[in-house]
Amino acid sequence: MRFLAILLLSISASLVSGHARIKSPKPLDAPVEDPTGNAYNAPLNPDGSDFPCKQLHKKAGVDMTPTESWAAGSSASFEYGALAAHSGGSCQASLSYDNGTTWSVLKSFHGGCPRDVTLNSNLAGPDQVFPFPIPAEAKAGAALFAWTWTAVTGNRDEFYMNCASVEITGSGTSTLEDYPAMYVGDMNIPGQIATGECRSTAGTALLYPNPGTEV
């Protein structure tokens, strides 16, 4: 029994250290997934210094070749990879046409992101693919996709973000400026978020103040 308890604690610790990331679309400069966790899976810096995208989209040598091609007017999806579920949470799928300066929300998930997680558990269910629409009017060309996540439990200064280089195909011309802006919270960003502002509440799934029409 003592061995079993130690084994369970070891498994739990490895899950917690793993934090969270998506595996598709392939995040920028992502190393091979490691179930025991690595620094890539950590949240953004609490001071917002690496927002957005952990600044990987501006890092020399990072391959910005699109890894997914999504047709305007169709459905796309993201899928969780290494994951410490932190009782679940809320997440958004967003797109940027100006290299991360602004972000337009394509879909908001209020809770259930990831799915099938009980309170105070780091274990999620098997189906972790989340679909979202690519607007028919979306401009054709290169874009940045972002998955952002706020967990139900865990430190309140943790804001997770993975970005991926994608290509939008079709005849659209809109850069989606009229779509809601991505929610950014639980960080202190001078000039954008003051200390104590935009904080999620531990123990509950975040309800986005401006989630858009796709929820």
Side-chain angles (χ1 to χ4, degrees):
M1 290 295 292
R2 184 172 183 273
F3 172 77
L4 178 60
I6 291 174
L7 178 61
L8 290 173
L9 283 172
S10 176
I11 293 173
S12 176
S14 68
L15 287 170
V16 171
S17 67
H19 290 308
R21 66 186 277 191
I22 57 172
K23 66 179 180 181
S24 67
K26 185 179 183 296
L28 295 176
D29 207 33
V32 175
E33 283 199 54
D34 180 356
T36 63
N38 55 46
Y40 191 93
N41 304 343
L44 298 182
N45 294 330
D47 63 2
S49 58
D50 57 354
F51 174 82
C53 305
K54 300 184 179 180
Q55 290 294 300
L56 292 171
H57 61 311
K58 296 182 179 180
K59 182 180 177 181
V62 172
D63 185 2
M64 295 298 293
T65 303
T67 58
E68 297 281 349
S69 180
W70 294 334
S74 69
S75 178
S77 66
F78 66 85
E79 181 178 5
Y80 274 105
L83 174 66
H86 291 301
S87 304
S90 296
C91 63
Q92 289 185 314
S94 305
L95 208 62
S96 174
Y97 281 103
D98 54 12
N99 202 34
T101 300
T102 60
W103 296 90
S104 299
V105 174
L106 303 178
K107 189 170 183 176
S108 297
F109 298 85
H110 287 155
C113 189
R115 300 186 180 97
D116 302 323
V117 186
T118 58
L119 188 62
N120 297 319
S121 172
N122 275 318
L123 300 177
D127 176 16
Q128 298 301 332
V129 178
F130 293 79
F132 56 88
I134 303 299
E137 68 271 26
K139 181 181 177 181
L144 276 176
F145 167 77
W147 158 81
T148 50
W149 179 52
T150 300
V152 170
T153 54
N155 296 328
R156 290 300 92 190
D157 61 353
E158 294 186 353
F159 184 77
Y160 291 82
M161 184 177 196
N162 281 174
C163 297
S165 182
V166 300
E167 179 184 23
I168 307 300
T169 62
S171 57
T173 59
S174 173
T175 54
L176 311 179
E177 296 99 330
D178 55 338
Y179 277 61
M182 172 201 292
Y183 170 86
V184 179
D186 295 325
M187 295 183 292
N188 299 318
I189 305 179
Q192 295 187 54
I193 304 175
T195 302
E197 291 182 342
C198 293
R199 298 284 145 176
S200 59
T201 302
T204 61
L206 175 67
L207 293 179
Y208 294 107
N210 190 11
T213 58
E214 292 288 337
V215 181

